[in-house]
Amino acid sequence: MRAEHLKRYREIAALLWKYGRSDLARLPGLDVGSLPEADAAQSPQAEELAADLERMGATFIKVGQLLSTRADLLPLPYLQALSRLQDRVEPFAFADVERIVSAELGVRLSKAFGEFETTPMASASLAQVHRAVLRDGREVAVKVQRPGIREEVVGDLEVFAELAELAEKHTEVGRTYQLAALVEEFRHSLLRELDYLREASHLQLLRRNLAEFDRLVVPAPIEGYTTSRVLTMERVHGTKIDKLSSVVRTDLDGYQLGDQLLAAYLRQILVDGFFHADPHPGNVLLTHDHRVALLDLGMVGHIAPSMQEQLLKLLLAVTDGHGDEAADLVVRIGSRRDGFDPQRFRRRITDLVAEHREAPLAQLQVGRVVLELVTHANSAGVRVPPELALLGKTLLNLDQVVRSLAPDLDVNEATRRHLGALVRKRMWRAVTPATVFRALSESKELAEQLPSRLNRILTHLAENDLRVNVDAIDETELIKGFQKVANRISGGLLVAALIIGAALMMRVQTAFTLFGYPGLAMIFFLLAAAGGCAMLWAILTGDR
């Protein structure tokens, strides 16, 4: 452990000790000094963990938010508490804002903008946002990265990487959860979130993917005003979903808004493979013209086509109440660890799906079911990919937003309806000119070669020369094994014969003796002993 990291490690060790992870708090070779006595009577609660992470700084807030997507690591109450982490801190000085924006854009602030408010409209751990007006009169929001935040995050991530490496060497939990790979995943996610050029490309991609949804809005980034540390985007006027008044709700067509928002997210996840992974109420606005705006694309998810197919089947199984099918799909998606009990896991998942199936349809939360599936899979010995936990957390947040917009919308029924439409859409998307041409080409090749192949088969059949080669086992190794068994048996019989012969010859007196016994009999005994020892040595050293 490097000296400059030791202080940070002691803070992490105190946090781990507080939450009962003494095996990780006291890793070999690291002197963390005295740690407070744990109070067993007052076990820390989920909300307290969120508050502790907020006090420890920007990196820990982001790690907490990332942990809120990992149902395979934490129970559901902790996931919910961490997903509500308040990412609000004191704003930094406007002089720093002016310096950073000018350096990034290459011109003075007054040259780039007609107006630029000195007081930020929002301030978070990684950046703060200012209202501004471009020279052409367009209203924009300017997101400016905090000075020195990248260096702070990189330093903290180096501490995490060193601790994860030690934990994997010295603790079972480190090896079970592959902490080094987990920290690497966190590192990639945080560094991507600090690159605003990437976030701008995410905004553009999401705008294209959701162009057909007329009730949804995604702010466009402003080209030429965006760099890796400054993101300028269209300003969207609206109210956060969780701040809507009862008066606004009376004039709102919440059913259509909620239904289209749900359809859009299922389309992002199961068709596009790229989705806004953090749709909590603070990141969703109701605009003044009664549309829904999606903000903050720092956290996004990517799903491969093969995984999309499995997730689609899993959601259909959950919403239809097919527990056995859901259990089989989770096992197929994940990887089995040592000690996996398939019968126990299947029973747990069947009970879970049946329990939620018996609840009123309007109260069923598909995201919660998916997160509980991940939790049960992890406890039963199935390691599931992070995409599944991220999907569950996204659907859980989405469920809250949809119910805020449309309390009477049956989310489960709407999910099943949209999933059916997506199945048809995926099938039609598979029928592209390229796939049709490939199928026709293969059919043409089959038609051309089929007569000659049939002719060869019939010729061999008529000449009684048709053979089928089955490569099921390694015949060479099998024959070697049989030979080894035969040799062992023959050797054992020979040793037994020598012992019996020697025993019979003990009664025959000979002219010479060994150790006071007839010499010939003792020679047979010694030969049998040497042969038995040699056979035992060959078995212990050469056999598998």
Side-chain angles (χ1 to χ4, degrees):
M1 175 65 67
R2 290 159 55 182
E4 61 268 27
H5 292 164
L6 191 55
K7 179 181 177 183
R8 200 54 156 169
Y9 173 68
R10 286 173 177 158
E11 296 175 0
I12 299 172
L15 184 68
L16 293 169
W17 184 272
K18 178 178 179 180
Y19 289 91
R21 297 307 326 194
S22 57
D23 54 341
L24 296 177
R26 288 196 177 278
L27 292 172
L30 295 173
D31 181 17
V32 297
S34 61
L35 291 170
E37 291 294 332
D39 188 352
Q42 295 183 351
S43 178
Q45 301 299 312
E47 295 293 344
E48 192 174 349
L49 173 60
D52 288 337
L53 291 176
E54 283 181 351
R55 285 193 293 271
M56 293 184 72
T59 310
F60 290 85
I61 291 174
K62 290 302 173 185
V63 167
Q65 291 173 348
L66 289 169
L67 282 174
S68 71
T69 69
R70 298 301 300 267
D72 54 329
L73 301 177
L74 295 173
L76 188 57
Y78 283 86
L79 301 181
Q80 294 173 331
L82 293 177
S83 66
R84 294 192 294 268
L85 269 173
Q86 297 299 306
D87 196 4
R88 294 193 297 266
V89 296
E90 288 295 320
F92 57 94
F94 181 71
D96 290 325
V97 173
E98 189 171 17
R99 175 179 56 81
I100 292 172
V101 174
S102 298
E104 290 293 312
L105 300 185
V107 295
R108 293 200 309 272
L109 199 66
S110 57
K111 291 288 186 181
F113 299 93
E115 299 177 22
F116 199 104
E117 292 191 5
T118 58
T119 303
M121 58 190 294
S123 179
S125 58
L126 300 183
Q128 63 188 34
V129 182
H130 291 258
R131 298 182 183 91
V133 179
L134 297 179
R135 285 290 183 179
D136 59 8
R138 286 181 291 171
E139 292 185 276
V140 294
V142 184
K143 184 177 180 180
V144 184
Q145 194 172 109
R146 282 185 173 272
I149 193 63
R150 178 180 289 272
E151 291 75 14
E152 177 185 336
V153 167
V154 169
D156 285 339
L157 289 173
E158 287 179 359
V159 176
F160 293 160
E162 292 173 8
L163 295 181
E165 184 178 352
L166 286 173
E168 285 201 3
K169 288 181 180 178
H170 299 289
T171 67
E172 184 62 31
V173 66
R175 290 184 289 271
T176 300
Y177 291 101
Q178 298 179 323
L179 292 185
L182 185 63
V183 168
E184 183 65 17
E185 178 188 336
F186 286 166
R187 188 182 76 86
H188 280 300
S189 179
L190 283 176
L191 294 181
R192 284 197 300 264
E193 192 168 348
L194 287 170
D195 183 0
Y196 295 159
L197 287 173
R198 182 182 294 271
E199 185 173 347
S201 68
H202 291 164
L203 287 169
Q204 291 284 24
L205 179 57
L206 191 63
R207 281 173 59 85
R208 290 196 299 270
N209 291 345
L210 300 183
E212 66 183 69
F213 297 95
D214 60 332
R215 294 174 179 263
L216 301 184
V217 179
V218 179
I222 306 301
E223 188 175 354
Y225 287 78
T226 297
T227 69
S228 62
R229 298 177 65 198
V230 174
L231 172 60
T232 305
M233 67 194 104
E234 294 176 341
R235 184 182 169 195
V236 179
H237 294 273
T239 307
K240 291 183 178 181
I241 293 296
D242 56 349
K243 304 294 184 183
L244 296 179
S245 66
S246 55
V247 176
V248 173
R249 293 181 188 276
T250 57
D251 296 334
L252 188 65
D253 187 1
Y255 185 92
Q256 291 295 330
L257 282 176
D259 189 66
Q260 188 170 115
L261 182 63
L262 182 62
Y265 264 87
L266 292 175
R267 158 74 181 270
Q268 292 176 56
I269 295 166
L270 300 173
V271 177
D272 300 328
F274 168 82
F275 62 98
H276 180 214
D278 198 20
H280 66 74
N283 283 341
V284 182
L285 296 184
L286 180 68
T287 65
H288 294 165
D289 58 353
H290 288 184
R291 293 190 294 168
V292 174
L294 304 178
L295 309 178
D296 192 0
L297 263 70
M299 184 182 293
V300 297
H302 298 271
I303 299 180
S306 58
M307 179 63 72
Q308 288 177 343
E309 192 72 29
Q310 301 298 329
L311 293 180
L312 176 58
K313 294 177 182 178
L314 179 61
L315 290 178
L316 286 170
V318 169
T319 54
D320 288 338
H322 298 158
D324 284 348
E325 185 179 350
D328 291 339
L329 286 166
V330 171
V331 174
R332 196 180 308 161
I333 291 172
S335 58
R336 303 182 185 187
R337 296 199 298 261
D338 294 339
F340 171 63
D341 185 349
Q343 297 302 324
R344 182 185 175 198
F345 176 66
R346 181 184 296 273
R347 189 162 53 250
R348 280 186 178 183
I349 299 304
T350 301
D351 293 342
L352 170 66
V353 174
E355 175 186 346
H356 285 275
R357 180 64 174 170
E358 292 168 1
L361 289 179
Q363 298 178 13
L364 178 63
Q365 294 180 299
V366 178
R368 179 184 291 272
V369 178
V370 174
L371 288 176
E372 291 183 5
L373 281 173
V374 175
T375 302
H376 285 309
N378 183 65
S379 62
V382 179
R383 181 181 291 111
V384 296
E387 293 91 339
L388 187 56
L390 184 59
L391 169 67
K393 190 244 185 183
T394 301
L395 292 177
L396 187 61
N397 283 336
L398 180 63
D399 182 86
Q400 297 173 2
V401 173
V402 171
R403 292 180 195 276
S404 297
L405 289 169
D408 298 331
L409 176 64
D410 186 342
V411 176
N412 187 56
E413 185 278 330
T415 300
R416 285 205 306 270
R417 172 164 43 85
H418 292 308
L419 287 176
L422 287 176
V423 170
R424 294 190 294 271
K425 182 168 292 189
R426 284 179 62 85
M427 292 177 65
W428 278 111
R429 283 190 63 174
V431 185
T432 62
T435 56
V436 171
F437 177 77
R438 185 166 57 251
L440 290 174
S441 177
E442 292 176 355
S443 299
K444 173 179 175 291
E445 183 180 352
L446 175 63
E448 289 176 347
Q449 297 182 3
L450 186 60
S452 62
R453 290 177 177 176
L454 281 176
N455 186 46
R456 287 199 300 270
I457 292 173
L458 292 174
T459 300
H460 286 299
L461 187 61
E463 296 174 355
N464 198 24
D465 190 31
L466 184 64
R467 287 178 288 181
V468 178
N469 294 327
V470 179
D471 191 13
I473 56 176
D474 190 336
E475 297 86 352
T476 303
E477 288 295 326
L478 184 62
I479 292 173
K480 287 181 180 178
F482 285 150
Q483 290 175 341
K484 185 177 291 186
V485 171
N487 292 338
R488 294 284 188 271
I489 293 173
S490 300
L493 290 173
L494 180 59
V495 170
L498 288 172
I499 293 173
I500 294 172
L504 293 174
M505 293 181 66
M506 277 294 181
R507 297 178 179 275
V508 179
Q509 297 298 324
T510 59
F512 69 97
T513 61
L514 287 176
F515 309 110
Y517 296 98
L520 190 57
M522 287 303 298
I523 289 175
F524 287 160
F525 266 125
L526 292 174
L527 289 174
C533 291
M535 185 181 298
L536 182 61
W537 176 258
I539 291 172
L540 292 175
T541 59
D543 288 356
R544 291 179 295 173

